[in-house]
């Protein structure tokens, strides 16, 4: 549960989309006075703890030499010079230097780092790469600047071209606490050469945009493993964090299940929404994963489902460790984010021998029990640009943010990192982006078949509880029924406490 400084509970209780028009209306016409916590309107945005009122138009960069500190992830480390040049090319004043401060990689670790910085009221970094999972914790505490108060109507209107759920994920009680920077699109990358040598025809059967069923996927994986003697068939991250909130969640959604019934219930109302963890779809998904991992050696194996394709070592893997087996040529299929396509499709890696496919499915959407589930489903990933409310360089920081959210910069990020832009229209315009341009059809398909996890004050403890129970099951310490029942009880208890 998250409380603001007054002790009032804050939670997002509806799944309804906040329209861009509401964002613009909250800013008001240019010239309307707005109060900014911890900021003043000097040209460089010098910080102040006062309560001075100002307008979005007041926040102007005065042209002086200044360095804006941008806290980002190792993803951009080797590309800072190319990215900075793009920013200057789109009009960022050259008197503004940008210090790309590389921090930790991983949403949880980065959140811990920002917790320390923002709770202490430090003025730097000025600009931060943030994950939408931070919204329920940072926004109620006013640890991020409400961009409604510092961006023009025209800039806010640009959000209409972005994926709605990504924008919504950084909104809280009418405020906007981040501007989209990256859209994470998970896919399955695979060794097309090995699959073809095993007798399959991915191009002829259009695997790029026609998802396989999990049953067929398992058969292909096992046959290819046998043909080539690879150590692993299908690799993915399945440590405790991923078991409940990422990989395990994706498998469940493709099987027509969910934690809160229909997807429209994702964000609430908390305490007044169905909790469906003891559903047979959860049990069957755990049985599916146990079969993939242990085959017929598991007493809970699914009859007739090919198994033994997923290494038990995955139970200790997070995102980066999970890709090492595939990179070493020891696996046939691998689940990861968009950057993996650029990485493994490059010359010197697998090049043209890399195939990319959408997530397989367990049941079709029409046969799913809950609305919004079934079919190919992948968890939405999203990273945003957020402003430190204590920055002493607000004017210059806003200039950087505006330059970093241009189409040209989005495409440059796509080119140098393989991370997709948060505007679907730009994916269609990425023919010149090396490597990933071979797989745009798959990216476009999967981008339309993604789900967002709950974004509210209780999701963090809930996903931890689910991950713990799922992980215990996959470690064969609990039966699927026991794990599902225990998760159901804990999630219901959290719901009751919050409500």
């Amino acid at each position: 549960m998250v409380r603001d400084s007054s002790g009032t509970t804050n939670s997002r209780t509806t799944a309804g989309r906040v329209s861009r028009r509401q964002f613009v209306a909250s800013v008001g016409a240019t010239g309307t006075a707005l109060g900014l916590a911890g900021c003043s309107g000097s040209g460089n945005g010098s910080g102040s703890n006062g309560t001075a009122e100002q307008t979005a138009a007041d926040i102007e960069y005065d042209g002086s030499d200044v360095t804006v500190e941008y806290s980002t992830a190792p993803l951009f480390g080797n590309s800072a010079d190319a990215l900075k040049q793009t920013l200057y090319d789109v009009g960022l004043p050259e008197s503004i230097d940008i210090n790309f401060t590389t921090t930790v990689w991983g949403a949880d670790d980065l959140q811990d780092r920002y917790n320390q910085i923002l709770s202490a009221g430090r003025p730097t970094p000025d600009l931060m790469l943030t994950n939408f999972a931070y919204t329920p914790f940072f926004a109620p505490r006013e640890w991020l600047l409400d961009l409604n108060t510092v961006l023009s109507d025209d800039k806010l209107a640009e959000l209409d071209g972005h994926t709605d759920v990504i924008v919504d994920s950084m909104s809280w009680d009418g405020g906007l606490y981040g501007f989209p920077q990256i859209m994470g699109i998970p896919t399955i990358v695979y060794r097309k050469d090995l699959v073809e040598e095993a007798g399959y025809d991915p191009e002829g059967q259009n695997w790029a945009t026609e998802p396989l069923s999990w049953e067929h996927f398992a058969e292909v994986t096992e046959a290819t493993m046998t043909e080539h003697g690879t150590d692993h068939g299908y690799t993915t991250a399945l440590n405790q964090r991923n078991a409940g909130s990422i990989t395990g969640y994706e498998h469940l959604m493709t099987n027509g299940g969910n934690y809160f019934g229909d997807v429209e219930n994702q964000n609430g109302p908390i305490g007044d929404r169905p909790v469906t963890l003891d559903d047979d779809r959860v049990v069957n998904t755990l049985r599916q994963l146990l079969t993939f991992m242990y085959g017929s050696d598991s007493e809970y194996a699914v009859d007739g489902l090919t198994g033994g394709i997923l290494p038990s070592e995955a139970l200790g893997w997070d995102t980066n460790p999970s890709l090492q087996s595939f990179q070493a040529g020891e696996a046939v299929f691998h689940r990861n984010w968009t950057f993996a396509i650029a990485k493994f499709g490059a010359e010197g890696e697998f090049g043209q021998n890399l195939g990319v496919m959408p997530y397989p499915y367990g049941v079709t959407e029409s046969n799913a029990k809950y609305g919004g589930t079934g079919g190919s489903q992948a968890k939405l990933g999203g990273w945003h640009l957020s402003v430190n409310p204590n920055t002493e360089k607000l004017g210059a920081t806003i200039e950087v943010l505006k330059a970093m959210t241009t189409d040209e910069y989005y495409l440059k990020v796509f080119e140098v990192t393989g991370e997709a832009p948060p505007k679907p229209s730009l994916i269609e315009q990425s023919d010149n982006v090396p490597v990933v341009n071979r797989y745009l059809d798959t990216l476009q398909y999967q981008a339309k078949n993604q789900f967002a996890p709950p974004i509210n004050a209780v999701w963090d403890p809930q996903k931890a509880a689910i991950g713990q129970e799922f992980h215990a099951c996959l470690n064969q310490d609990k039966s699927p029924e026991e794990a599902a029942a225990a998760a159901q009880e804990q999630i219901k208890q959290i719901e009751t406490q919050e409500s």
Side-chain angles (χ1 to χ4, degrees), residues 70-84 86-87 98-105 110 114 127-131 179-183 339 382-385 404 409-422:
Y70 171 39
S71 176
T72 184
L75 179 70
F76 299 108
N78 298 326
S79 308
D81 289 344
L83 293 172
K84 285 165 67 172
T86 301
L87 294 174
I98 309 160
N99 180 16
F100 281 68
T101 304
T102 299
T103 56
V104 294
W105 189 227
L110 194 54
Y114 289 156
L127 189 64
M128 298 171 288
L129 187 71
T130 55
N131 189 273
F179 208 102
Q181 179 73 170
I182 290 170
M183 178 167 63
F339 78 91
W383 291 88
H384 299 70
L385 295 174
M404 284 186 172
Y409 187 77
Y410 284 144
L411 289 172
K412 190 64 176 180
V413 170
F414 198 14
E415 175 185 337
V416 300
T417 69
E419 294 288 0

Side-chain angles (χ1 to χ4, degrees), residues 253-254 256 361-377 445 448-449:
M253 291 286 284
T254 66
Y361 68 95
V363 299
T364 62
E365 293 180 37
S366 60
N367 290 325
K369 180 176 181 179
Y370 301 117
T373 71
S376 179
Q377 293 273 357
Y445 179 93
K448 296 175 182 177
N449 292 274

